[in-house]
Amino acid sequence: MTPAAAQSFSAAPNASFVLDFDSEDGNFSLWRATDLTGINALRARATFVRKGQHRQWAPSFAISVGSEGADASISFTAAPRSGPLMVEAALWRGGEPSAEETFLLTPAFQEPFDIHVDWTEEGLVTFTVFSRAAQAVNGYERRQVNLGQAPTTVRITGSTGEVLFEPLQLGHVAR
């Protein structure tokens, strides 16, 4: 078991989902949770199943946690040709990105992979992506974004493709 997986995650009651975002080219899908009482973590197994084609919008999905005009997000974009996904963590304030960090050891298109998102009451958000590319190192890659306060919402978006989250769980990590 890797150190990142050694944390004790407990899924919240009625907070386990299967999401299949099958968004037509150029269209947008959204799922959100607005009550994070007692929740400080998200666990998901994701597979980018299909890439659409659109002249303006790339096949992508993102997981964001936020509160009062600020969001910490991790985005996954599929390149035009099959291969590794482009993965980036960022802080967003007023609709503008900052503190962008690119992941280097990313999952491949159609590879099932795990995503862990954890946050503290102080607003430190940790994004961890487990992939085959990272197996030679430690199995995962991690980035942190500081919101400055605990998130109050979780939002998942997708566009111009299909991504399957099976399962997606909200819960609590004991520290």
Side-chain angles (χ1 to χ4, degrees):
M1 185 174 283
T2 63
Q7 295 176 332
S8 174
F9 174 79
S10 300
N14 300 316
S16 185
F17 311 93
V18 173
L19 296 179
D20 187 355
F21 277 7
D22 192 359
S23 306
E24 291 183 28
D25 296 358
N27 287 308
F28 179 79
S29 298
L30 168 69
W31 177 88
R32 69 177 157 222
T34 57
D35 181 5
L36 298 183
T37 305
I39 293 172
N40 70 355
L42 175 149
R43 297 291 182 265
R45 161 119 329 180
T47 306
F48 210 129
V49 178
R50 178 185 59 82
K51 293 183 209 179
Q53 294 183 355
H54 190 268
R55 58 180 162 64
Q56 186 176 0
W57 305 108
S60 63
F61 72 91
I63 300 173
S64 302
V65 295
S67 61
E68 298 184 27
D71 290 294
S73 71
I74 185 166
S75 62
F76 299 80
T77 304
R81 305 277 187 255
S82 293
L85 301 176
M86 294 176 279
V87 182
E88 188 172 79
L91 173 65
W92 292 77
R93 291 196 188 279
E96 296 294 324
S98 65
E100 297 170 296
E101 291 191 53
T102 301
F103 284 67
L104 302 175
L105 303 171
T106 63
F109 177 66
Q110 296 184 327
E111 171 190 338
F113 62 96
D114 292 332
I115 306 165
H116 291 187
V117 183
D118 302 319
W119 55 90
T120 66
E121 283 295 318
E122 297 77 29
L124 183 63
V125 180
T126 304
F127 297 107
T128 307
V129 177
F130 296 81
S131 69
R132 285 192 295 252
Q135 287 304 313
V137 182
N138 58 10
Y140 64 91
E141 191 170 356
R142 178 178 289 146
R143 299 287 185 270
Q144 292 185 318
V145 175
N146 194 341
L147 277 175
Q149 60 185 339
T152 57
T153 62
V154 172
R155 200 171 55 255
I156 300 177
T157 58
S159 178
T160 312
E162 180 179 3
V163 61
L164 177 65
F165 298 95
E166 188 173 19
L168 170 75
Q169 297 178 307
L170 299 174
H172 189 267
V173 171
R175 302 201 196 292

